[in-house]
Amino acid sequence: MTLSTEEPRLGTKPVAPRHDGPRSTARLRTLRRRLPVPAVLYGTLAVLVLLPVAFVTLSAFSNDTPRPGNIGFAGLTLDNFGTVFGSAGARRAAVNSLMVGLGSAAVALTIGGFLAFISARTNVYLRRFLYLVGLIPMFLPSYVGAIAWAILAAPNAGLINVVLGDLGLPRFVDLYNVGGLVFVLGIYYAPYAFLLIHSSFSLMNPDLEEAASVHGASTSQVLRRITFPLALPAILGSAILIFTLTVENFPVAQIIGGASGFDTLPTYIWRLMNSTPSQGNEAAAVAVALVLTVLVATLVQRGIVSRRTFTTVSGKGVKPRRIDLGAWRVPALLGGLAYFVVSAVLPLGALLVVALHDSPYIATFSDWNEPRVWSADAFMSALESATARGAMTNSVIVGIAAAAAGTLLAFAVAYVVNRTTLPGRSGLEYISMLPLAVPAIVLGLGLLWTWLVLPLPLYGTLLLMIVAFTAAQMPQGFRGVSGSILQVHHDLEDSAVMHGASRTRAVRKVTLPLMRVGITSTFLLLLMLSMRELTVPLFLFTSDTRLISIVIFDSYENGILQGAAAISLLYCVVIFVLAAVAQRYGTRERS
């Protein structure tokens, strides 16, 4: 029998009535025992998240930006907010960002949820291949996809328009508008929804569904009233994640929207920071407004989730049943294949054509069969480039280390928030979600200011990149792990403790194995995000810590289109290999 820590242990002598002194002593002992874990987590998140956000916030209310020797306490003002939000350009950028975020989230959730459902819960043809289809766009970073689709669908000179011209048809395809931006962001952020929702569907216990079927519910009723509601935490988490990520995306908006003068908040912030003189304080004011917006969205989501119970993993064997699609098996397969073509085949084909062509600017394909037209020189140059090789090595090291550190920290925070009654646990969630609200372009500046001011020699090292990526991707890691931990019933872990196991051993032997798919998915997600990240390292890299994403973006910005295409294709191969290894050894069933 376990004695409460609120009561003194009983002895052989009669126990005298308790007074304030013994009660206070017991409470102090309880606090000393319960505070270390949240204190360590708060300290870690404070350095990773709160300090950069504090510097950004301080800059929004200051006449100066923080820097070594001057952290901006002098000259506090509210004028930055009036300057920014009184501008018609800022208001247009805000409206554009809202349209892009909502549209992209709708497209991504539709695609990702559809692929997750048919690959996890149905008997669709080529189900395992469709699971891979849901992940493949992660091998192609969104900015690389934007470059590829700019090559494909630029007005007049895009490859699709070139083919139309060769066929004597009007060249009507134009990517440089709101619809094009929503399209590109939607297809390349769909894998995030796919990973989170697929994990929910694959862990779902079939007992409730079978009970509903036994009592006469049709398949559509079971899906509508049981299956999809049980997946609501993953769906809501995906929606908020994708909305905020697409609203804050800078590279895709710059590549597609910048070409037509279409501003979103990130590109507007970029222009503020690169104006003469730089308007970093006004850019930080926009970031503060986004922080408040996402905090409200997080509160709404948590309120919806907290009203219901979503536990779906119990002590029984978990093997969700497959739904027979019948005549819809072929249409479902075709839908998955269409996404595969749009997200991977066409973009990779465009990059390959440009990398192998003798000129990056193709006017016609009528001479495609002439030998002089094709050459592998761009690939040879990329392979022989010391800059490209060093950047690729740096990217792999930073990606793996940041994914491992991020997953470990996310599990610790998610466990404390969802499984304990430790003091201050709710605040950990909101701190973890803060980086999601701050545009990466501004968070990069906050991280730069933080690690220039702190007396730690991290600037100019890969360790700074790892720390920065762990901080920037904390929301994705926390949401990914939380979605899985909510589905594992705490009674399983508590039973192990009651039978003599320590809490640590129970977590290691019971909880973690049941969360294996979700944790591996989170690690894979963070690995892909780290490999794909461009905006945060823009302010942190040096000549020795340049990442491959920086090399690709610089090549494109400088007009070296063939070099950017060749390096991008080699980059995608490395990402694919890393993802395949993680998938093979992370989610395969144990014998």
Side-chain angles (χ1 to χ4, degrees):
M1 177 177 180
T2 303
L3 297 177
S4 170
T5 56
E6 299 293 337
E7 300 279 348
R9 287 184 177 273
L10 296 177
T12 56
K13 296 179 179 181
V15 179
R18 292 177 300 169
H19 300 287
D20 289 342
R23 181 181 302 173
S24 300
T25 302
R27 288 176 178 173
L28 288 176
R29 285 199 303 267
T30 300
L31 286 176
R32 283 197 297 267
R33 180 174 60 83
R34 291 162 60 85
L35 281 179
V37 171
V40 170
L41 292 178
Y42 268 107
T44 302
L45 292 177
V47 174
L48 290 178
V49 176
L50 290 184
L51 279 180
V53 173
F55 279 124
V56 171
T57 305
L58 185 61
S59 182
F61 291 94
S62 175
N63 290 322
D64 198 4
T65 54
R67 59 182 182 272
N70 179 12
I71 60 174
F73 281 113
L76 298 180
T77 180
L78 295 174
D79 292 345
N80 298 321
F81 293 91
T83 300
V84 171
F85 295 104
S87 165
R91 291 195 297 270
R92 283 195 301 269
V95 173
N96 292 342
S97 292
L98 182 62
M99 291 191 300
V100 168
L102 292 174
S104 302
V107 172
L109 279 174
T110 300
I111 296 173
F114 168 74
L115 287 174
F117 176 70
I118 64 172
S119 61
R121 299 301 310 275
T122 75
N123 64 339
V124 65
Y125 293 114
L126 301 179
R127 183 170 54 86
R128 293 182 181 275
F129 175 72
L130 290 178
Y131 178 86
L132 183 60
V133 166
L135 297 177
I136 283 178
M138 299 196 78
F139 312 145
L140 193 67
S142 60
Y143 55 87
V144 174
I147 292 173
W149 271 100
I151 294 171
L152 279 167
N156 299 319
L159 297 186
I160 295 176
N161 284 319
V162 170
V163 172
L164 292 174
D166 288 343
L167 296 174
L169 300 174
R171 303 188 179 199
F172 64 89
V173 178
D174 184 1
L175 187 72
Y176 296 145
N177 49 54
V178 180
L181 185 53
V182 167
F183 168 75
V184 173
L185 288 172
I187 62 175
Y188 289 109
Y189 280 93
Y192 303 158
F194 172 78
L195 279 172
L196 297 178
I197 298 174
H198 185 279
S199 176
S200 178
F201 281 139
S202 63
L203 287 173
M204 197 167 288
N205 190 297
D207 288 350
L208 294 175
E209 296 174 332
E210 291 176 357
S213 297
V214 168
H215 286 81
S218 65
T219 300
S220 62
Q221 289 176 322
V222 171
L223 293 176
R224 187 173 66 255
R225 297 182 179 180
I226 296 177
T227 306
F228 295 143
L230 286 175
L232 187 60
I235 295 172
L236 289 176
S238 300
I240 292 178
L241 171 63
I242 295 170
F243 173 80
T244 50
L245 287 177
T246 52
V247 164
E248 298 170 5
N249 184 284
F250 164 73
V252 177
Q254 176 68 14
I255 291 168
I256 297 177
S260 59
F262 178 82
D263 257 335
T264 62
L265 285 176
T267 58
Y268 186 73
I269 290 170
W270 173 261
R271 289 200 296 106
L272 289 174
M273 290 181 175
N274 285 277
S275 61
T276 305
S278 176
Q279 301 180 57
N281 302 107
E282 289 81 357
V286 179
V288 169
L290 287 178
V291 169
L292 297 177
T293 300
V294 173
L295 285 178
V296 171
T298 303
L299 286 171
V300 171
Q301 183 220 17
R302 187 169 180 82
I304 295 173
V305 173
S306 63
R307 293 193 187 104
R308 306 178 64 180
T309 300
F310 299 95
T311 301
T312 56
V313 177
S314 63
K316 299 180 180 180
V318 177
K319 189 176 181 181
R321 64 172 183 170
R322 303 283 178 203
I323 296 174
D324 185 7
L325 293 178
W328 289 98
R329 294 181 74 185
V330 172
L333 174 62
L334 292 178
L337 293 179
Y339 175 64
F340 176 58
V341 171
V342 168
S343 63
V345 175
L346 286 177
L348 291 174
L351 293 174
L352 185 62
V353 167
V354 169
L356 292 177
H357 205 270
D358 65 341
S359 172
Y361 306 104
I362 302 172
T364 180
F365 284 108
S366 60
D367 59 351
W368 68 272
N369 58 342
E370 296 183 14
R372 63 177 178 79
V373 173
W374 306 104
S375 171
D377 290 345
F379 285 104
M380 297 305 298
S381 297
L383 291 172
E384 293 171 358
S385 170
T387 299
R389 291 200 305 270
M392 188 70 76
T393 301
N394 289 343
S395 292
V396 172
I397 293 173
V398 170
I400 294 175
T407 304
L408 179 62
L409 180 60
F411 176 80
V413 174
Y415 186 88
V416 169
V417 170
N418 295 293
R419 283 297 180 84
T420 73
T421 58
L422 293 175
R425 63 189 183 280
S426 297
L428 292 173
E429 177 176 0
Y430 298 119
I431 296 175
S432 299
M433 296 303 296
L434 275 181
L436 196 61
V438 182
I441 193 170
V442 179
L443 182 60
L445 280 179
L447 289 165
L448 174 63
W449 293 331
T450 298
W451 294 102
L452 285 177
V453 171
L454 288 180
L456 296 173
L458 291 188
Y459 184 77
T461 67
L462 289 180
L463 184 57
L464 176 58
M465 294 292 189
I466 295 169
V467 170
F469 285 5
T470 302
Q473 295 157 13
M474 186 62 196
Q476 294 90 318
F478 176 79
R479 280 296 174 215
V481 175
S482 290
S484 295
I485 205 169
L486 284 172
Q487 293 185 314
V488 179
H489 203 289
H490 61 84
D491 283 352
L492 301 175
E493 183 182 315
D494 292 342
S495 296
V497 173
M498 290 179 62
H499 284 79
S502 65
R503 180 64 62 177
T504 302
R505 181 177 175 83
V507 171
R508 183 165 53 87
K509 294 293 186 180
V510 177
T511 305
L512 284 175
L514 288 173
M515 294 177 58
R516 192 161 179 252
V517 173
I519 288 177
T520 302
S521 296
T522 301
F523 176 86
L524 179 58
L525 173 62
L526 298 186
L527 175 62
M528 296 300 102
L529 288 173
S530 298
M531 293 293 292
R532 297 153 58 99
E533 182 58 54
L534 167 65
T535 310
V536 170
L538 275 176
F539 298 100
L540 304 175
F541 79 94
T542 64
S543 58
D544 294 328
T545 59
R546 186 184 286 110
L547 303 180
I548 197 64
S549 58
I550 300 294
V551 173
I552 293 172
F553 191 74
D554 281 348
S555 297
Y556 179 79
E557 288 289 293
N558 293 324
I560 310 173
L561 194 56
Q562 285 180 305
I567 296 174
S568 296
L569 288 171
L570 296 175
Y571 183 32
C572 292
V573 171
V574 172
I575 295 178
F576 178 82
V577 171
L578 290 174
V581 171
Q583 181 66 24
R584 176 185 177 90
Y585 293 101
T587 60
R588 67 181 182 181
E589 296 293 333
R590 292 180 179 176
S591 58

